[in-house]
Short mmCIF file of all heavy atoms in Angstrom, two decimals:
data_model
loop_
_atom_site.label_atom_id
_atom_site.label_comp_id
_atom_site.label_asym_id
_atom_site.label_seq_id
_atom_site.Cartn_x
_atom_site.Cartn_y
_atom_site.Cartn_z
N LEU A 424 -6.48 12.35 6.94
CA LEU A 424 -6.31 13.11 8.17
C LEU A 424 -5.43 12.38 9.18
O LEU A 424 -4.73 13.00 9.99
CB LEU A 424 -7.70 13.38 8.81
CG LEU A 424 -8.64 14.30 7.99
CD1 LEU A 424 -9.99 14.40 8.69
CD2 LEU A 424 -8.01 15.68 7.81
N TYR A 425 -5.50 11.05 9.15
CA TYR A 425 -4.79 10.30 10.18
C TYR A 425 -3.35 10.01 9.79
O TYR A 425 -2.44 10.08 10.62
CB TYR A 425 -5.53 8.99 10.46
CG TYR A 425 -4.94 8.19 11.59
CD1 TYR A 425 -5.18 8.52 12.92
CD2 TYR A 425 -4.14 7.08 11.32
CE1 TYR A 425 -4.63 7.79 13.94
CE2 TYR A 425 -3.58 6.34 12.33
CZ TYR A 425 -3.84 6.71 13.65
OH TYR A 425 -3.29 5.97 14.65
N PHE A 426 -3.11 9.66 8.52
CA PHE A 426 -1.78 9.28 8.07
C PHE A 426 -1.08 10.45 7.38
O PHE A 426 -1.73 11.33 6.80
CB PHE A 426 -1.84 8.10 7.09
CG PHE A 426 -2.37 6.82 7.71
CD1 PHE A 426 -3.68 6.42 7.48
CD2 PHE A 426 -1.56 6.05 8.52
CE1 PHE A 426 -4.15 5.27 8.04
CE2 PHE A 426 -2.04 4.89 9.07
CZ PHE A 426 -3.34 4.50 8.83
N ARG A 427 0.22 10.43 7.45
CA ARG A 427 1.03 11.41 6.74
C ARG A 427 1.18 10.99 5.28
O ARG A 427 0.97 9.82 4.94
CB ARG A 427 2.42 11.52 7.39
CG ARG A 427 2.36 12.08 8.82
CD ARG A 427 3.79 12.39 9.28
NE ARG A 427 4.61 11.19 9.32
CZ ARG A 427 4.70 10.40 10.38
NH1 ARG A 427 4.02 10.67 11.46
NH2 ARG A 427 5.48 9.34 10.32
N PRO A 428 1.54 11.91 4.39
CA PRO A 428 1.68 11.54 2.97
C PRO A 428 2.65 10.40 2.74
O PRO A 428 2.44 9.55 1.89
CB PRO A 428 2.14 12.85 2.31
CG PRO A 428 1.62 13.93 3.21
CD PRO A 428 1.71 13.37 4.59
N SER A 429 3.75 10.37 3.50
CA SER A 429 4.71 9.27 3.31
C SER A 429 4.11 7.93 3.69
O SER A 429 4.35 6.92 3.04
CB SER A 429 5.97 9.55 4.15
OG SER A 429 5.64 9.63 5.54
N GLN A 430 3.30 7.90 4.76
CA GLN A 430 2.66 6.65 5.16
C GLN A 430 1.62 6.21 4.13
O GLN A 430 1.46 5.02 3.87
CB GLN A 430 2.00 6.83 6.52
CG GLN A 430 2.99 7.02 7.67
CD GLN A 430 2.28 7.25 8.99
OE1 GLN A 430 1.16 7.74 9.01
NE2 GLN A 430 2.95 6.93 10.07
N LEU A 431 0.94 7.19 3.53
CA LEU A 431 -0.02 6.84 2.50
C LEU A 431 0.67 6.25 1.28
O LEU A 431 0.15 5.33 0.63
CB LEU A 431 -0.84 8.08 2.10
CG LEU A 431 -1.87 8.54 3.14
CD1 LEU A 431 -2.51 9.84 2.67
CD2 LEU A 431 -2.92 7.49 3.37
N GLY A 432 1.84 6.77 0.95
CA GLY A 432 2.59 6.18 -0.16
C GLY A 432 3.00 4.75 0.13
O GLY A 432 2.96 3.87 -0.74
N PHE A 433 3.39 4.46 1.38
CA PHE A 433 3.75 3.09 1.77
C PHE A 433 2.53 2.17 1.71
O PHE A 433 2.62 1.03 1.26
CB PHE A 433 4.32 3.11 3.20
CG PHE A 433 4.65 1.75 3.73
CD1 PHE A 433 5.78 1.07 3.28
CD2 PHE A 433 3.84 1.15 4.67
CE1 PHE A 433 6.08 -0.18 3.77
CE2 PHE A 433 4.14 -0.09 5.16
CZ PHE A 433 5.26 -0.76 4.71
N ILE A 434 1.38 2.68 2.14
CA ILE A 434 0.16 1.88 2.05
C ILE A 434 -0.19 1.57 0.61
O ILE A 434 -0.61 0.47 0.25
CB ILE A 434 -1.01 2.61 2.76
CG1 ILE A 434 -0.73 2.69 4.27
CG2 ILE A 434 -2.34 1.91 2.51
CD1 ILE A 434 -1.74 3.52 5.02
N SER A 435 0.02 2.57 -0.27
CA SER A 435 -0.26 2.36 -1.69
C SER A 435 0.63 1.26 -2.26
O SER A 435 0.19 0.42 -3.05
CB SER A 435 -0.05 3.66 -2.46
OG SER A 435 -0.89 4.68 -1.96
N GLN A 436 1.91 1.25 -1.86
CA GLN A 436 2.81 0.20 -2.34
C GLN A 436 2.37 -1.17 -1.85
O GLN A 436 2.44 -2.16 -2.57
CB GLN A 436 4.24 0.50 -1.90
CG GLN A 436 4.83 1.77 -2.52
CD GLN A 436 6.23 2.05 -1.99
OE1 GLN A 436 6.81 1.23 -1.30
NE2 GLN A 436 6.74 3.22 -2.32
N LYS A 437 1.91 -1.26 -0.60
CA LYS A 437 1.44 -2.53 -0.06
C LYS A 437 0.20 -3.02 -0.82
O LYS A 437 0.06 -4.21 -1.12
CB LYS A 437 1.10 -2.39 1.44
CG LYS A 437 2.32 -2.28 2.33
CD LYS A 437 3.07 -3.61 2.35
CE LYS A 437 4.23 -3.56 3.35
NZ LYS A 437 4.96 -4.84 3.38
N VAL A 438 -0.71 -2.10 -1.11
CA VAL A 438 -1.90 -2.48 -1.86
C VAL A 438 -1.54 -2.98 -3.24
O VAL A 438 -2.09 -3.95 -3.76
CB VAL A 438 -2.88 -1.29 -1.93
CG1 VAL A 438 -4.05 -1.60 -2.85
CG2 VAL A 438 -3.39 -0.95 -0.54
N LEU A 439 -0.56 -2.31 -3.90
CA LEU A 439 -0.11 -2.73 -5.21
C LEU A 439 0.48 -4.14 -5.18
O LEU A 439 0.22 -4.98 -6.03
CB LEU A 439 0.92 -1.73 -5.75
CG LEU A 439 1.58 -2.09 -7.09
CD1 LEU A 439 0.52 -2.20 -8.19
CD2 LEU A 439 2.63 -1.05 -7.46
N LEU A 440 1.27 -4.43 -4.15
CA LEU A 440 1.87 -5.75 -4.03
C LEU A 440 0.81 -6.82 -3.81
O LEU A 440 0.87 -7.92 -4.38
CB LEU A 440 2.88 -5.76 -2.87
CG LEU A 440 3.60 -7.09 -2.60
CD1 LEU A 440 4.41 -7.52 -3.82
CD2 LEU A 440 4.52 -6.95 -1.39
N THR A 441 -0.19 -6.51 -3.00
CA THR A 441 -1.27 -7.47 -2.75
C THR A 441 -2.07 -7.75 -4.00
O THR A 441 -2.42 -8.89 -4.31
CB THR A 441 -2.19 -6.94 -1.64
OG1 THR A 441 -1.42 -6.67 -0.49
CG2 THR A 441 -3.29 -7.97 -1.31
N VAL A 442 -2.36 -6.71 -4.76
CA VAL A 442 -3.13 -6.88 -5.98
C VAL A 442 -2.37 -7.71 -7.00
O VAL A 442 -2.91 -8.58 -7.67
CB VAL A 442 -3.51 -5.49 -6.56
CG1 VAL A 442 -4.13 -5.64 -7.93
CG2 VAL A 442 -4.46 -4.78 -5.62
N ARG A 443 -1.05 -7.45 -7.14
CA ARG A 443 -0.26 -8.23 -8.08
C ARG A 443 -0.22 -9.70 -7.68
O ARG A 443 -0.29 -10.59 -8.53
CB ARG A 443 1.15 -7.66 -8.15
CG ARG A 443 1.23 -6.33 -8.93
CD ARG A 443 2.64 -5.79 -8.93
NE ARG A 443 2.74 -4.58 -9.75
CZ ARG A 443 3.85 -3.83 -9.84
NH1 ARG A 443 4.92 -4.18 -9.14
NH2 ARG A 443 3.86 -2.75 -10.60
N THR A 444 -0.09 -9.98 -6.38
CA THR A 444 -0.05 -11.38 -5.92
C THR A 444 -1.36 -12.08 -6.20
O THR A 444 -1.40 -13.22 -6.66
CB THR A 444 0.27 -11.42 -4.42
OG1 THR A 444 1.49 -10.71 -4.19
CG2 THR A 444 0.40 -12.87 -3.95
N SER A 445 -2.47 -11.41 -5.90
CA SER A 445 -3.77 -12.02 -6.14
C SER A 445 -4.04 -12.20 -7.61
O SER A 445 -4.68 -13.17 -8.04
CB SER A 445 -4.88 -11.17 -5.51
OG SER A 445 -4.89 -9.87 -6.08
N SER A 446 -3.54 -11.29 -8.44
CA SER A 446 -3.76 -11.42 -9.88
C SER A 446 -3.01 -12.61 -10.45
O SER A 446 -3.48 -13.27 -11.37
CB SER A 446 -3.32 -10.13 -10.59
OG SER A 446 -1.93 -9.92 -10.43
N ARG A 447 -1.83 -12.91 -9.91
CA ARG A 447 -1.09 -14.09 -10.38
C ARG A 447 -1.81 -15.37 -9.98
O ARG A 447 -1.80 -16.35 -10.70
CB ARG A 447 0.34 -14.08 -9.83
CG ARG A 447 1.20 -12.94 -10.35
CD ARG A 447 2.68 -13.17 -10.01
NE ARG A 447 3.48 -12.00 -10.26
CZ ARG A 447 3.86 -11.15 -9.35
NH1 ARG A 447 3.49 -11.33 -8.09
NH2 ARG A 447 4.60 -10.11 -9.66
N SER A 448 -2.40 -15.41 -8.77
CA SER A 448 -2.99 -16.64 -8.27
C SER A 448 -4.27 -17.00 -8.98
O SER A 448 -4.59 -18.17 -9.16
CB SER A 448 -3.26 -16.52 -6.76
OG SER A 448 -4.19 -15.45 -6.53
#
């Protein structure tokens, strides 16, 4: 309700990047 679909896609990309970084560490 708060974010637009484009913002949600950007948040999804950020979450993916964080998960990949933590998985490497």
Side-chain angles (χ1 to χ4, degrees):
L424 294 176
Y425 185 78
F426 295 102
R427 296 190 298 271
S429 61
Q430 292 177 333
L431 288 175
F433 177 74
I434 294 174
S435 301
Q436 295 177 9
K437 286 292 185 180
V438 173
L439 175 60
L440 180 60
T441 304
V442 172
R443 286 178 176 174
T444 304
S445 60
S446 64
R447 294 192 190 99
S448 61

